[in-house]
Amino acid sequence: MTAPSAADETAPWAGWATDLATAVVRRAPVFEERLDTPAAVIRDELAAALGTMPARASAEVTVDGSWTRDGLAGMELSWDCGYGPRTRAWLLRPAGEDGTLPGVLALFEHGGVKLAGREKLADGPRAPEGELGAVVRASRRASYGGRAWAEDLARRGAAVLVHDAFGFGSRRIPEDGGPGRLAESEVAKAAGLLGASWAGLLAGEDRLALSVLRSLPAVDGARLAAVGMSGGGARAGVLRALEPHLAATVVVTMMSTLGAMFPAHLARHAWTWLSPGLGAAGDWPSVVGSWTERPLLVQYGLGDPLFPRSGMEAADAQLRRRFAAHGHEGNYAAMLLPSGHVFTRQMQTAAWDWLGEILGFGPR
């Protein structure tokens, strides 16, 4: 063997990601399809990968205000999750509806916007103004067809809870967003050093929010669902794996096999999803589809630049195999659409129709 030249020693390591993946797989499998693995095993391995979730298991909820407008009755809620400022949330219901309703946890996307949290999906007592208003309007135009979709869903007959979570809105880290912006990777480093992860912190707070929703009067705790697009879809998928009693879940433009994404499609995704060790818990479709007893709708945007089309199509096939293998093929629904990384109004209507059939609500 000849000695490498000086040029060889200083040349960029162009294939580092592939070389690293090959070496890792020799030691331990990653991105595995978990066709027959029990859902409880996948849940436990996912929880281990996400790390410590310091949020409380339950919380005392304070009602901080209420309002009625545009066919909605809203309440402003808050609770202490055990660290940081109080979590702020809105509960939305159809105005004049006093009966028990199914509950939906509405999960906002990342979108590179942390100034807003719950405001991305709902206006609350009034439309946000100033800088926040401008940010929210831009976010909704980019992702949701300009609609505050949590409000639209509530008007159809659901009790919808939309809450802030670690790093966003009322729980935004002060240094993140101003001069000397605190990089997201720095937060991820701090969390990792503590045996936690940004994705795990969100998962713990989302589980607490689900507990809050289940505990609220006039909410049917047996009819609970989670809905999210993009980063909100990642949160919905993780919540589904950790909380098997969710009656239904909608994941929008957040589904692909992980192997197809590696390494070219990683850069535009955030620490709020791509947690260290995630791939060791199984391939993403296997994780999200772990509990086949409960219905799952996935909406794919086949023109989505954040995911390879091959990975989306492979994820759909993998989910179909898992649900069929456990005798629940009717519980998986998919919409493969010629759209991008968006949750359009048409997609929202289709999702609400599907969700309404399962939870028992409809247009008003």
Side-chain angles (χ1 to χ4, degrees), residues 235-309:
R235 293 165 62 192
V238 168
L239 190 64
R240 185 181 192 274
L242 297 177
E243 295 286 343
H245 300 301
L246 271 176
T249 307
V250 180
V251 173
V252 182
T253 60
M254 201 65 190
M255 183 56 66
S256 171
T257 56
L258 295 175
M261 293 181 62
F262 193 92
H265 285 80
L266 303 182
R268 293 180 64 182
H269 291 280
W271 288 97
T272 52
W273 176 43
L274 293 182
S275 182
L278 178 65
D283 207 351
W284 180 238
S286 290
V287 169
V288 176
S290 53
W291 301 96
T292 62
E293 300 87 347
R294 301 291 187 176
L296 168 66
L297 168 64
V298 179
Q299 293 181 325
Y300 303 81
L302 295 180
D304 190 340
L306 272 65
F307 299 96
R309 179 167 180 154

Side-chain angles (χ1 to χ4, degrees), residues 27-110:
R27 293 295 186 98
V30 293
F31 312 156
E32 278 195 315
E33 179 175 358
R34 311 295 291 273
L35 188 64
D36 301 314
T37 305
V41 172
I42 297 175
R43 176 197 60 202
D44 294 346
E45 292 182 1
L46 174 64
L50 294 176
T52 302
M53 301 179 198
R56 303 181 192 276
S58 61
E60 183 176 336
V61 179
T62 300
V63 177
D64 300 316
S66 62
W67 69 91
T68 303
R69 64 160 182 82
D70 302 332
L72 287 174
M75 287 197 301
E76 180 142 11
L77 309 177
S78 67
W79 59 83
D80 177 13
C81 79
Y83 56 100
R86 290 180 69 81
T87 298
R88 303 289 174 181
W90 292 321
L91 178 70
L92 310 173
R93 296 170 55 93
E97 177 58 70
D98 298 323
T100 300
L101 299 177
V104 178
L105 199 62
L107 302 170
F108 56 79
E109 87 295 352
H110 184 298

Side-chain angles (χ1 to χ4, degrees), residues 2 22 26 34 133 137 161 173 220 224 235 279 294 303 333-334 337 340 359:
T2 59
T22 302
R26 283 199 297 265
R34 311 295 291 273
R137 288 189 294 273
L161 182 66
I173 297 165
D220 185 348
L224 299 180
R235 293 165 62 192
R294 301 291 187 176
L337 305 165
L359 298 185

Side-chain angles (χ1 to χ4, degrees), residues 268-359:
R268 293 180 64 182
H269 291 280
W271 288 97
T272 52
W273 176 43
L274 293 182
S275 182
L278 178 65
D283 207 351
W284 180 238
S286 290
V287 169
V288 176
S290 53
W291 301 96
T292 62
E293 300 87 347
R294 301 291 187 176
L296 168 66
L297 168 64
V298 179
Q299 293 181 325
Y300 303 81
L302 295 180
D304 190 340
L306 272 65
F307 299 96
R309 179 167 180 154
S310 61
M312 290 185 272
E313 292 173 339
D316 175 55
Q318 186 177 139
L319 283 163
R320 292 184 187 280
R321 287 193 294 271
R322 179 163 178 93
F323 277 78
H326 294 268
H328 301 128
E329 51 265 70
N331 282 345
Y332 172 61
M335 297 177 64
L336 285 82
L337 305 165
S339 55
H341 197 67
V342 291
F343 189 20
T344 66
R345 295 186 178 215
Q346 293 79 11
M347 293 166 72
Q348 293 165 32
T349 297
W352 307 159
D353 289 345
W354 178 87
L355 201 56
E357 288 185 10
I358 294 164
L359 298 185

Side-chain angles (χ1 to χ4, degrees), residues 126-275:
R126 65 191 64 82
E129 301 174 343
E131 179 187 5
L132 178 61
V135 165
V136 165
R137 288 189 294 273
S139 176
R140 292 179 188 170
R141 284 195 301 269
S143 299
Y144 305 127
R147 175 182 282 171
W149 63 253
E151 297 188 355
D152 183 61
L153 177 56
R155 290 189 188 97
R156 283 176 165 251
V160 181
L161 182 66
V162 53
H163 67 288
D164 290 337
F166 180 79
F168 296 85
S170 61
R171 292 184 59 72
R172 183 169 64 96
I173 297 165
E175 297 90 342
D176 194 350
R181 181 180 180 276
L182 182 66
E184 194 165 293
S185 60
E186 291 182 47
V187 180
K189 288 176 188 175
L193 194 62
L194 295 169
S197 68
W198 199 316
L201 294 173
L202 287 174
E205 294 187 26
D206 290 343
R207 297 178 83 179
L208 175 56
L210 185 66
S211 172
V212 167
L213 180 60
R214 183 183 291 115
S215 72
L216 295 174
V219 172
D220 185 348
R223 293 187 293 160
L224 299 180
V227 180
M229 171 259 177
S230 188
R235 293 165 62 192
V238 168
L239 190 64
R240 185 181 192 274
L242 297 177
E243 295 286 343
H245 300 301
L246 271 176
T249 307
V250 180
V251 173
V252 182
T253 60
M254 201 65 190
M255 183 56 66
S256 171
T257 56
L258 295 175
M261 293 181 62
F262 193 92
H265 285 80
L266 303 182
R268 293 180 64 182
H269 291 280
W271 288 97
T272 52
W273 176 43
L274 293 182
S275 182

